Amino acid sequence: AVIDPGSRQCSLRIHWRPDDVRYPAVLDPSWTTTVNDLNLARRFHTASKLPTGRVLIAGGSKDNLSGGLCEVYDPTTSSWANSASLGSVRMRHTTTTLSNGTLIVIGGVNESHGGKDTGVRAIETFNPMSPVPAWTTVASLELEAKQARYGHSAILHKNDMVLAIGGRFPGGGLFNDALTISEPNGVSTRLTNFMPEPRVHHTTTSIGLSDYVVSGGLAQDDLAPYPLLYVGQPVQG
């Protein structure tokens, strides 16, 4: 409707043909900077959304120096602040959120000044709802293989167990196995030959109670990527 000149408000309706748009559609998207920057520039870290709506950055590396410092982003203020530090500095690890909001960190490496990667076996958990949130070491990855890993994938399995798949042993070969890890009891099961081929830096997606699709990553020491999909075998638990 035509509004008289000088009116305090009016309505504007925009219409487009449904056939011309693919949903979900974003109108006028833009990036903005936060109020402040991260205190520690980093890479190979993890980012997890907390039950409070905040985002927790854990681990990572800067200029070949590992950082155990964690930082949290508050969307209400658009700002970053320091959080409780990891007990073991690490990068190339995984962080998985359990059904109660607890975070569990698995694996990774601690890059030393000399460039030699040292594997991190300790498993840590973080309860963001605690009066004083802190990281707690709950278990070790010392299984039959007695080896740490990094570049693996981790997803939440039924009964609040975490399924960690593949990865690489620091300074060594790749894994094709999987670990089922329960909190707070730590490692519960090691599944050998979980995948037909070993993988590192891949992704794993759950497509049911017992099926998992592993895609991408590197499958050989020559770092040649294979664009193949694997459906995992059933996992007990």
Side-chain angles (χ1 to χ4, degrees):
V2 178
I3 304 299
D4 295 333
S7 298
R8 297 183 60 87
Q9 66 182 34
C10 65
S11 297
L12 175 65
R13 176 176 295 181
I14 301 175
H15 176 76
W16 56 84
R17 296 194 315 168
D19 294 341
D20 296 336
V21 182
R22 290 188 176 182
Y23 293 92
V26 179
L27 302 180
D28 297 329
S30 63
W31 290 93
T32 59
T33 58
T34 55
V35 172
N36 60 330
D37 296 332
L38 288 168
N39 290 305
L40 177 66
R42 64 186 77 207
R43 58 177 178 169
F44 305 131
H45 56 280
T46 58
S48 304
K49 184 178 179 180
L50 304 178
T52 58
R54 297 179 176 183
V55 177
L56 182 69
I57 300 293
S61 173
K62 175 183 180 294
D63 297 333
N64 295 330
L65 297 175
S66 296
L69 176 67
C70 297
E71 301 184 55
V72 64
Y73 172 74
D74 189 343
T76 61
T77 60
S78 187
S79 62
W80 294 92
N82 289 343
S83 182
S85 295
L86 289 162
S88 299
V89 294
R90 65 182 83 204
M91 63 179 181
R92 301 179 189 268
H93 53 283
T94 58
T95 302
T96 307
T97 304
L98 305 181
S99 61
N100 62 0
T102 298
L103 306 182
I104 180 168
V105 169
I106 302 169
V109 290
N110 179 357
E111 191 174 16
S112 65
H113 292 274
K116 181 179 179 181
D117 292 336
T118 302
V120 182
R121 292 191 175 97
I123 297 175
E124 299 184 61
T125 60
F126 180 85
N127 183 358
M129 306 309 294
S130 297
V132 183
W135 291 95
T136 303
T137 300
V138 295
S140 171
L141 285 182
E142 296 187 70
L143 299 176
E144 297 91 336
K146 301 290 184 180
Q147 293 175 329
R149 69 183 65 208
Y150 71 93
H152 54 283
S153 62
I155 61 173
L156 186 62
H157 183 52
K158 62 181 180 179
N159 297 333
D160 243 14
M161 290 195 302
V162 177
L163 184 67
I165 301 174
R168 180 190 291 274
F169 171 69
L174 309 184
F175 292 108
N176 68 341
D177 65 352
L179 308 174
T180 58
I181 302 169
S182 59
E183 188 275 331
N185 298 320
V187 176
S188 57
T189 306
R190 177 170 179 259
L191 306 169
T192 59
N193 300 320
F194 184 81
M195 296 183 292
E197 292 182 350
R199 286 289 171 116
V200 64
H201 300 314
H202 53 279
T203 61
T204 300
T205 305
S206 175
I207 57 173
L209 294 177
S210 60
D211 291 332
Y212 308 91
V213 176
V214 178
S215 59
L218 309 175
Q220 302 294 337
D221 288 335
D222 61 1
L223 303 183
Y226 291 85
L228 303 176
L229 300 180
Y230 294 103
V231 178
Q233 62 192 38
V235 178
Q236 301 298 321

